[in-house]
Amino acid sequence: NFPHNPTSAMLPHADWDRVISLCREAGAYLFSDEMYRGLELQDGVRLQPAFAAYEKAISLSGVSKTLSVPGLRIGWLASQDKELIKSILMLKDYTTICPSAPSELLAIVALENSDQIIRRNVEIINRGLDAMEQFAAAHPGVFSAYRPLAGTTCFLKYLGGDALAFSQRVVNDAGIMLLPSAVYNLDEDPQCVRVGFGRENVPGIFEKLAQAL
């Protein structure tokens, strides 16, 4: 999934093209989670949707992340494979059938105003990233940060010991939830914690976290 959760990593365009080529050579389906697409923070990093690049790709998206209305529970799949979409629609008829009409109407409103909503969200994300970088700079022996290219989450490297124990202490003492990289089975770099920066109160949370150190 790109932008990636939890790291917000983005593939270079050449690597994305290579993924598409490999799938086409193998005749394999490609399922692409694109829920954070639109929250790129630099020009030129947004990837082409998988379904537009490859005839056997399926793109997943929705209004929960990029448009900030997760309570609507509205999303979609896009693909050039009409037979696949037909099969999915048949399955949907036997399961959820359809979402609520108010949710669909509100989702349309969000989509019609997507440019304004995304601009607002990117501003909030950048303020949150500024706060994260300032926090890490103020504690150079304890944390190391990087600024991602997209998305609303990333890994903050904890240099002060066991990231899992630190996360447990912080949630108990300060009510701040950090997800240690151990929960993602990230054995190659276990001393990280996932942080989110997509809310307006993120600067205040980092101030509170600093007090809990």
Side-chain angles (χ1 to χ4, degrees), residues 6-7 142-144 146 154-167 178-184 186 188-195:
T7 65
V142 186
F143 291 99
S144 175
Y146 69 94
C154 73
F155 278 153
L156 188 62
K157 188 152 189 171
Y158 178 60
L159 309 173
D162 186 285
L164 176 58
F166 172 73
S167 299
L178 304 171
L179 288 179
S181 50
V183 305
Y184 300 99
L186 191 66
E188 64 271 21
D189 200 356
Q191 302 301 11
C192 294
V193 293
R194 192 195 79 157
V195 296

Short mmCIF file of all heavy atoms in Angstrom, two decimals, residues 6-7 142-144 146 154-167 178-184 186 188-195:
data_model
loop_
_atom_site.label_atom_id
_atom_site.label_comp_id
_atom_site.label_asym_id
_atom_site.label_seq_id
_atom_site.Cartn_x
_atom_site.Cartn_y
_atom_site.Cartn_z
N PRO A 6 2.46 1.48 8.17
CA PRO A 6 2.63 2.63 9.06
C PRO A 6 3.77 3.58 8.73
O PRO A 6 3.95 4.57 9.42
CB PRO A 6 2.94 1.94 10.40
CG PRO A 6 3.73 0.72 10.00
CD PRO A 6 3.11 0.26 8.71
N THR A 7 4.58 3.31 7.71
CA THR A 7 5.81 4.10 7.52
C THR A 7 5.63 5.34 6.66
O THR A 7 6.49 6.21 6.64
CB THR A 7 6.90 3.23 6.87
OG1 THR A 7 6.48 2.88 5.55
CG2 THR A 7 7.17 1.97 7.69
N VAL A 142 17.56 10.55 22.45
CA VAL A 142 16.44 9.66 22.77
C VAL A 142 15.63 9.29 21.53
O VAL A 142 15.13 8.17 21.42
CB VAL A 142 15.52 10.32 23.82
CG1 VAL A 142 14.42 9.35 24.26
CG2 VAL A 142 16.32 10.79 25.03
N PHE A 143 15.51 10.24 20.60
CA PHE A 143 14.70 10.00 19.41
C PHE A 143 15.42 10.46 18.15
O PHE A 143 16.21 11.39 18.17
CB PHE A 143 13.36 10.74 19.50
CG PHE A 143 12.43 10.21 20.54
CD1 PHE A 143 12.34 10.84 21.78
CD2 PHE A 143 11.66 9.09 20.30
CE1 PHE A 143 11.49 10.35 22.75
CE2 PHE A 143 10.81 8.59 21.27
CZ PHE A 143 10.72 9.22 22.50
N SER A 144 15.11 9.77 17.05
CA SER A 144 15.58 10.15 15.73
C SER A 144 14.39 10.11 14.78
O SER A 144 13.65 9.12 14.75
CB SER A 144 16.67 9.19 15.24
OG SER A 144 17.06 9.50 13.91
N TYR A 146 12.50 11.14 10.83
CA TYR A 146 12.63 11.45 9.41
C TYR A 146 11.30 12.01 8.94
O TYR A 146 10.25 11.70 9.50
CB TYR A 146 12.99 10.21 8.59
CG TYR A 146 11.87 9.19 8.50
CD1 TYR A 146 10.97 9.18 7.43
CD2 TYR A 146 11.69 8.23 9.50
CE1 TYR A 146 9.94 8.25 7.35
CE2 TYR A 146 10.67 7.30 9.44
CZ TYR A 146 9.80 7.31 8.36
OH TYR A 146 8.76 6.40 8.30
N CYS A 154 4.27 7.62 10.67
CA CYS A 154 5.63 7.20 10.35
C CYS A 154 6.25 6.58 11.60
O CYS A 154 5.64 6.58 12.68
CB CYS A 154 6.49 8.35 9.83
SG CYS A 154 6.98 9.55 11.09
N PHE A 155 7.44 6.05 11.45
CA PHE A 155 8.18 5.49 12.58
C PHE A 155 9.13 6.55 13.14
O PHE A 155 9.86 7.21 12.41
CB PHE A 155 8.99 4.27 12.16
CG PHE A 155 8.19 3.00 12.12
CD1 PHE A 155 8.56 1.97 11.27
CD2 PHE A 155 7.09 2.82 12.94
CE1 PHE A 155 7.84 0.79 11.24
CE2 PHE A 155 6.36 1.65 12.90
CZ PHE A 155 6.73 0.62 12.05
N LEU A 156 9.09 6.69 14.45
CA LEU A 156 10.02 7.53 15.19
C LEU A 156 10.97 6.57 15.91
O LEU A 156 10.52 5.69 16.63
CB LEU A 156 9.25 8.39 16.20
CG LEU A 156 9.97 9.47 16.98
CD1 LEU A 156 10.53 10.54 16.03
CD2 LEU A 156 9.02 10.11 17.98
N LYS A 157 12.25 6.71 15.67
CA LYS A 157 13.20 5.77 16.26
C LYS A 157 13.48 6.15 17.71
O LYS A 157 13.82 7.30 18.02
CB LYS A 157 14.51 5.74 15.47
CG LYS A 157 15.45 4.64 15.95
CD LYS A 157 16.36 4.16 14.84
CE LYS A 157 17.12 2.92 15.27
NZ LYS A 157 17.85 2.31 14.16
N TYR A 158 13.31 5.16 18.60
CA TYR A 158 13.55 5.37 20.02
C TYR A 158 14.94 4.86 20.36
O TYR A 158 15.25 3.69 20.16
CB TYR A 158 12.49 4.63 20.84
CG TYR A 158 12.67 4.75 22.33
CD1 TYR A 158 12.65 6.00 22.95
CD2 TYR A 158 12.85 3.62 23.12
CE1 TYR A 158 12.80 6.11 24.32
CE2 TYR A 158 13.01 3.72 24.49
CZ TYR A 158 12.98 4.97 25.09
OH TYR A 158 13.15 5.07 26.45
N LEU A 159 15.78 5.74 20.87
CA LEU A 159 17.17 5.42 21.16
C LEU A 159 17.44 5.18 22.64
O LEU A 159 18.58 4.96 23.04
CB LEU A 159 18.09 6.55 20.67
CG LEU A 159 17.88 7.01 19.22
CD1 LEU A 159 18.73 8.24 18.92
CD2 LEU A 159 18.20 5.89 18.25
N GLY A 160 16.37 5.20 23.42
CA GLY A 160 16.56 5.15 24.87
C GLY A 160 16.37 3.79 25.51
O GLY A 160 16.29 3.71 26.74
N GLY A 161 16.27 2.74 24.69
CA GLY A 161 16.11 1.41 25.28
C GLY A 161 15.06 0.60 24.54
O GLY A 161 15.00 0.61 23.32
N ASP A 162 14.22 -0.08 25.30
CA ASP A 162 13.22 -0.98 24.74
C ASP A 162 11.98 -0.19 24.32
O ASP A 162 11.30 0.42 25.15
CB ASP A 162 12.85 -2.04 25.79
CG ASP A 162 11.93 -3.10 25.22
OD1 ASP A 162 10.73 -2.80 25.04
OD2 ASP A 162 12.40 -4.22 24.95
N ALA A 163 11.67 -0.21 23.03
CA ALA A 163 10.55 0.57 22.50
C ALA A 163 9.21 0.05 23.01
O ALA A 163 8.29 0.84 23.25
CB ALA A 163 10.57 0.56 20.98
N LEU A 164 9.09 -1.26 23.19
CA LEU A 164 7.83 -1.82 23.69
C LEU A 164 7.58 -1.39 25.13
O LEU A 164 6.48 -0.95 25.48
CB LEU A 164 7.86 -3.34 23.58
CG LEU A 164 6.65 -4.09 24.15
CD1 LEU A 164 5.36 -3.64 23.46
CD2 LEU A 164 6.83 -5.60 24.00
N ALA A 165 8.62 -1.49 25.97
CA ALA A 165 8.47 -1.07 27.36
C ALA A 165 8.18 0.42 27.46
O ALA A 165 7.37 0.86 28.28
CB ALA A 165 9.74 -1.43 28.15
N PHE A 166 8.84 1.22 26.61
CA PHE A 166 8.60 2.66 26.60
C PHE A 166 7.15 2.96 26.22
O PHE A 166 6.49 3.80 26.85
CB PHE A 166 9.55 3.33 25.62
CG PHE A 166 9.27 4.78 25.39
CD1 PHE A 166 9.55 5.73 26.36
CD2 PHE A 166 8.70 5.21 24.20
CE1 PHE A 166 9.28 7.08 26.16
CE2 PHE A 166 8.42 6.55 23.98
CZ PHE A 166 8.71 7.49 24.96
N SER A 167 6.63 2.26 25.21
CA SER A 167 5.26 2.49 24.76
C SER A 167 4.27 2.14 25.86
O SER A 167 3.27 2.84 26.07
CB SER A 167 4.97 1.66 23.50
OG SER A 167 5.83 2.05 22.44
N LEU A 178 1.45 4.85 21.57
CA LEU A 178 2.44 4.66 20.51
C LEU A 178 2.48 3.17 20.20
O LEU A 178 2.41 2.35 21.10
CB LEU A 178 3.82 5.14 20.96
CG LEU A 178 3.94 6.58 21.45
CD1 LEU A 178 5.31 6.81 22.06
CD2 LEU A 178 3.70 7.55 20.30
N LEU A 179 2.59 2.84 18.93
CA LEU A 179 2.68 1.43 18.56
C LEU A 179 4.13 1.07 18.30
O LEU A 179 4.72 1.55 17.32
CB LEU A 179 1.83 1.15 17.31
CG LEU A 179 0.32 1.16 17.51
CD1 LEU A 179 -0.38 0.89 16.19
CD2 LEU A 179 -0.10 0.14 18.55
N PRO A 180 4.74 0.22 19.13
CA PRO A 180 6.13 -0.17 18.89
C PRO A 180 6.23 -1.04 17.64
O PRO A 180 5.29 -1.76 17.28
CB PRO A 180 6.49 -0.96 20.15
CG PRO A 180 5.19 -1.48 20.66
CD PRO A 180 4.16 -0.42 20.33
N SER A 181 7.38 -0.96 16.98
CA SER A 181 7.54 -1.71 15.73
C SER A 181 7.47 -3.22 15.95
O SER A 181 7.28 -3.97 14.99
CB SER A 181 8.86 -1.33 15.06
OG SER A 181 9.94 -1.38 15.96
N ALA A 182 7.60 -3.66 17.20
CA ALA A 182 7.47 -5.10 17.47
C ALA A 182 6.10 -5.64 17.08
O ALA A 182 5.98 -6.81 16.68
CB ALA A 182 7.73 -5.37 18.96
N VAL A 183 5.07 -4.81 17.15
CA VAL A 183 3.74 -5.30 16.79
C VAL A 183 3.60 -5.51 15.29
O VAL A 183 2.66 -6.15 14.83
CB VAL A 183 2.62 -4.35 17.30
CG1 VAL A 183 2.75 -4.12 18.79
CG2 VAL A 183 2.63 -3.03 16.54
N TYR A 184 4.54 -4.95 14.52
CA TYR A 184 4.57 -5.15 13.07
C TYR A 184 5.59 -6.20 12.65
O TYR A 184 5.86 -6.36 11.46
CB TYR A 184 4.90 -3.83 12.36
CG TYR A 184 3.91 -2.73 12.63
CD1 TYR A 184 4.16 -1.75 13.58
CD2 TYR A 184 2.71 -2.67 11.92
CE1 TYR A 184 3.25 -0.74 13.83
CE2 TYR A 184 1.79 -1.67 12.17
CZ TYR A 184 2.07 -0.71 13.13
OH TYR A 184 1.15 0.28 13.37
N LEU A 186 8.75 -6.10 12.94
CA LEU A 186 9.86 -5.43 12.25
C LEU A 186 11.16 -5.80 12.96
O LEU A 186 11.75 -5.01 13.69
CB LEU A 186 9.64 -3.92 12.25
CG LEU A 186 10.57 -3.09 11.36
CD1 LEU A 186 10.33 -3.41 9.89
CD2 LEU A 186 10.36 -1.61 11.60
N GLU A 188 14.14 -6.24 11.86
CA GLU A 188 15.38 -5.59 11.45
C GLU A 188 15.57 -4.23 12.11
O GLU A 188 16.66 -3.68 12.10
CB GLU A 188 15.45 -5.46 9.92
CG GLU A 188 14.39 -4.57 9.30
CD GLU A 188 13.12 -5.32 8.95
OE1 GLU A 188 12.90 -6.40 9.52
OE2 GLU A 188 12.36 -4.82 8.11
N ASP A 189 14.50 -3.66 12.64
CA ASP A 189 14.61 -2.35 13.30
C ASP A 189 13.55 -2.28 14.40
O ASP A 189 12.55 -1.57 14.29
CB ASP A 189 14.41 -1.22 12.28
CG ASP A 189 14.98 0.10 12.78
OD1 ASP A 189 15.46 0.14 13.91
OD2 ASP A 189 14.95 1.09 12.01
N PRO A 190 13.77 -3.01 15.49
CA PRO A 190 12.71 -3.16 16.50
C PRO A 190 12.51 -1.95 17.40
O PRO A 190 11.49 -1.86 18.07
CB PRO A 190 13.19 -4.37 17.31
CG PRO A 190 14.69 -4.32 17.20
CD PRO A 190 14.96 -3.81 15.81
N GLN A 191 13.46 -1.02 17.44
CA GLN A 191 13.37 0.08 18.39
C GLN A 191 12.74 1.32 17.76
O GLN A 191 13.33 2.40 17.75
CB GLN A 191 14.76 0.39 18.98
CG GLN A 191 15.40 -0.79 19.67
CD GLN A 191 14.56 -1.34 20.84
OE1 GLN A 191 13.42 -1.00 21.03
NE2 GLN A 191 15.16 -2.20 21.62
N CYS A 192 11.54 1.16 17.23
CA CYS A 192 10.79 2.26 16.65
C CYS A 192 9.39 2.28 17.24
O CYS A 192 8.88 1.26 17.72
CB CYS A 192 10.70 2.14 15.13
SG CYS A 192 12.28 2.29 14.26
N VAL A 193 8.76 3.44 17.17
CA VAL A 193 7.36 3.57 17.55
C VAL A 193 6.62 4.29 16.43
O VAL A 193 7.14 5.21 15.82
CB VAL A 193 7.17 4.32 18.89
CG1 VAL A 193 7.73 3.51 20.04
CG2 VAL A 193 7.82 5.70 18.85
N ARG A 194 5.42 3.83 16.16
CA ARG A 194 4.62 4.50 15.14
C ARG A 194 3.92 5.70 15.76
O ARG A 194 3.30 5.59 16.83
CB ARG A 194 3.56 3.57 14.56
CG ARG A 194 2.90 4.13 13.31
CD ARG A 194 1.63 3.42 12.95
NE ARG A 194 0.52 3.88 13.78
CZ ARG A 194 -0.78 3.78 13.43
NH1 ARG A 194 -1.11 3.22 12.29
NH2 ARG A 194 -1.73 4.19 14.25
N VAL A 195 4.03 6.83 15.09
CA VAL A 195 3.34 8.04 15.53
C VAL A 195 2.44 8.52 14.40
O VAL A 195 2.71 8.31 13.22
CB VAL A 195 4.34 9.15 15.93
CG1 VAL A 195 5.17 8.73 17.12
CG2 VAL A 195 5.25 9.53 14.76
#
